[in-house]
Amino acid sequence: MTGTNGGPTGTRRDTVAAVVRQWQTVHPDLDTAPMEIIGRINRCAALLQQAEDAPLRRAGLSRSEFDLLGALRRTGHELTPSELARETFSSGAAVTKRLKQLTERGLVERRGDSRDRRVAHVRLTDAGRDLVDGILPEQLAYETSVLSGLAPQRQGELAALLGELLGELEGRLGAPRG
């Protein structure tokens, strides 16, 4: 099956297809093909955010809090708030707010730098590490179920295409890589 501009698309109709058709009616002279990709990526992101990651929600965590805890767990060492901001693609202010909440919950600890009082080092507490290790398998199972409508080969293709797009965007927009 082909999309509204001759490109491939899924067998189901989606809300973006309707939006593209409407724009083509209003502006038949414009190439709306980018909307078929960007629109679908944005719509998928919005739906995934609305789902609120059920296992995380049950644990009382937001995705952004889990991302901070996960960054500390996967790197395996203390990080400064600015390093956490880079690791999680968050603003410094957002990281500071989340760290305050996670500290109050006993999931992370902050320690001052012995050489520079302005610098803090953040690490997981045992409770934080146990929470991440306990919830990660459940979260991955949830994400697997979200993607289960796509065959494993198609998931691999989608991951590769999204990785290619992300690499291109990060290179062009100067976002951190790696």
Side-chain angles (χ1 to χ4, degrees):
M1 181 172 179
T2 60
T4 55
N5 286 318
T9 189
T11 56
R12 296 182 189 150
R13 282 288 187 210
D14 59 54
T15 56
V16 172
V19 168
V20 168
R21 279 194 311 278
Q22 291 168 339
W23 276 118
Q24 287 176 333
T25 300
V26 174
H27 285 291
D29 54 319
L30 295 179
D31 179 7
T32 55
M35 285 183 185
E36 294 190 52
I37 297 170
I38 304 297
R40 286 186 175 104
I41 290 171
N42 287 336
R43 181 70 176 139
C44 286
L47 289 170
L48 289 169
Q49 286 174 347
Q50 284 176 10
E52 294 185 22
D53 301 311
L56 299 179
R57 189 176 61 242
R58 279 194 299 277
L61 291 173
S62 68
R63 167 59 82 165
S64 53
E65 290 171 330
F66 182 73
D67 287 346
L68 283 177
L69 296 173
L72 290 165
R73 182 65 175 122
R74 66 184 156 74
T75 60
H77 56 81
E78 294 179 343
L79 296 171
T80 65
S82 59
E83 290 169 334
L84 280 167
R86 279 192 301 278
E87 286 286 329
T88 61
F89 308 105
S90 302
S91 72
V95 167
T96 298
K97 179 182 175 186
R98 291 179 196 127
L99 286 176
K100 182 178 187 295
Q101 294 165 338
L102 294 170
T103 300
E104 289 170 358
R105 291 179 59 190
L107 300 174
V108 299
E109 294 176 334
R110 297 173 72 125
R111 140 185 106 68
D113 190 283
S114 58
R115 291 172 289 184
D116 186 345
R117 291 179 182 224
R118 296 170 296 177
V119 176
H121 298 274
V122 181
R123 73 171 193 88
L124 284 176
T125 62
D126 289 343
R129 188 188 65 251
D130 291 347
L131 179 62
V132 171
D133 289 351
I135 200 169
L136 185 59
E138 186 180 354
Q139 182 63 25
L140 289 171
Y142 169 76
E143 291 175 6
T144 298
S145 74
V146 166
L147 296 171
S148 65
L150 292 175
Q153 179 182 344
R154 301 290 286 169
Q155 290 179 33
E157 292 168 5
L158 180 58
L161 287 170
L162 289 171
E164 188 177 327
L165 176 61
L166 183 58
E168 177 68 27
L169 291 173
E170 287 179 343
R172 190 176 327 146
L173 302 176
R177 287 186 132 171

